[in-house]
Amino acid sequence: MLLNLLGCAGNPLIVKGQLEQAQQQQVALGRQNQELQTRIAALDQDNRRLQSLLAQSQQRAEVLEQQLALVREQLASVTSQLARVQQEKEAAEQKSQALTASLHRQPITFTPNSSLLRTLPQFTDSDLRVRRDGDVIRIAIPADRLFEGESAVVRPDGLSVLAQVASEIARLYPRQRIAIEGHVDPDSPQTHLWRNSMHLSTAWAIAVYETLLQQRILKAEQLFLVGHAQHHPLAPNNTDSGRRINRRVEFVIYPETIN
């Protein structure tokens, strides 16, 4: 056997064949190694891309969670406001019914006063519009000077406006009959808080009436209230300025006086 091995080792052809076979195997292993390196690089790139996508998804999830929390807070706030306005609405309707019943139970006599139109109230506030209307004098106050949106609660700065108007009326017409009229535009109400525009206009008149009673500048027996809805506009309703003029509360001073 030793002689056979020595014989193979001494044969140049056999040695050359073995060498070529070894070289081919080395080349094949090199190719395999290169393919593995290429696959490893591709997998590493895919991994980095997936990590980036995961980080972006986590950021989006955090943003969405923050937005969801904000929406929940806003929803809770709106729900609370709706509940409060609903209570105001119900209270205004009850007061309107009670006031209407009271007016029916207590008839009032009137004494005409033809000298009423000789003097008009004077205001420095340009939003307060004074005009003659037949035998009466009207003082119009834009609703947005008194109320926030379709609320029927007089704003704090609206209290001073009403006190100013009431003081001027008390100075010039201490015994005249005075109507408090609520007016809205055709688009009101824009929420479900009021059944219709008549309810909203009446609620505004009630809120002003009650504020005047609390201020005690005018006598309670001088006052009565009316809701006119959108039926007596002063300006076209096709512009914002026109709708603002029409959304108003008016003091109507009558020639009649109380006894």
Side-chain angles (χ1 to χ4, degrees):
M1 178 178 294
L2 179 59
L3 292 175
N4 291 335
L5 292 174
L6 291 174
C8 291
N11 190 334
L13 294 176
I14 295 175
V15 173
K16 182 179 179 181
Q18 291 176 343
L19 181 59
E20 291 177 352
Q21 184 178 7
Q23 289 174 345
Q24 291 174 356
Q25 290 177 350
Q26 185 176 5
V27 170
L29 289 173
R31 289 200 191 99
Q32 291 179 357
N33 182 62
Q34 184 64 36
E35 291 175 356
L36 289 174
Q37 292 296 330
T38 302
R39 292 180 62 187
I40 290 172
L43 290 173
D44 184 59
Q45 185 177 0
D46 290 343
N47 182 60
R48 287 196 299 269
R49 186 169 62 254
L50 291 173
Q51 291 291 339
S52 176
L53 291 174
L54 178 60
Q56 293 176 8
S57 297
Q58 290 175 340
Q59 290 177 351
R60 293 194 193 99
E62 292 175 359
V63 171
L64 289 174
E65 186 65 28
Q66 293 173 356
Q67 292 176 343
L68 180 59
L70 179 60
V71 169
R72 287 172 177 166
E73 292 178 2
Q74 293 174 342
L75 180 60
S77 176
V78 170
T79 300
S80 176
Q81 293 177 8
L82 287 176
R84 176 174 57 81
V85 175
Q86 182 66 28
Q87 292 175 352
E88 294 173 2
K89 171 190 171 184
E90 293 174 355
E93 290 179 349
Q94 293 174 358
K95 292 171 184 176
S96 175
Q97 294 172 358
L99 182 60
T100 301
S102 174
L103 290 174
H104 283 302
R105 290 195 303 267
Q106 300 177 4
I108 301 175
T109 58
F110 303 99
T111 302
N113 182 358
S114 59
S115 65
L116 172 67
L117 298 181
R118 294 177 183 175
T119 306
L120 290 179
Q122 300 293 323
F123 301 104
T124 58
D125 191 331
S126 59
D127 267 343
L128 304 181
R129 300 161 60 94
V130 180
R131 70 186 192 279
R132 290 189 176 93
D133 183 11
D135 292 335
V136 302
I137 293 174
R138 292 181 176 270
I139 305 171
I141 308 173
D144 59 13
R145 292 291 304 275
L146 302 176
F147 307 103
E148 195 70 40
E150 293 185 356
S151 169
V153 178
V154 178
R155 293 166 32 172
D157 55 338
L159 298 176
S160 60
V161 175
L162 292 178
Q164 177 186 358
V165 173
S167 297
E168 182 69 359
I169 292 175
R171 183 179 71 85
L172 295 176
Y173 320 110
R175 298 180 61 248
Q176 303 305 132
R177 283 288 286 169
I178 301 163
I180 303 166
E181 297 184 349
H183 299 262
V184 299
D185 64 86
D187 294 335
S188 300
Q190 297 180 353
T191 70
H192 68 281
L193 301 176
W194 307 100
R195 277 186 286 179
N196 50 52
S197 56
M198 183 63 72
H199 279 211
L200 176 57
S201 63
T202 303
W204 282 351
I206 292 172
V208 171
Y209 172 84
E210 291 190 331
T211 299
L212 295 175
L213 294 185
Q214 294 172 0
Q215 292 178 341
R216 298 183 178 180
I217 300 174
L218 297 172
K219 300 179 180 67
E221 56 269 26
Q222 287 181 265
L223 306 174
F224 66 99
L225 59 89
V226 184
H228 284 298
Q230 74 275 16
H231 302 304
H232 298 282
L234 296 178
N237 283 297
N238 56 357
T239 64
D240 291 339
S241 60
R243 286 188 292 272
R244 181 176 186 264
I245 291 173
N246 293 333
R247 290 168 60 90
R248 68 195 188 276
V249 172
E250 287 194 349
F251 287 79
V252 186
I253 304 163
Y254 284 86
E256 296 82 10
T257 59
I258 59 173
N259 291 330

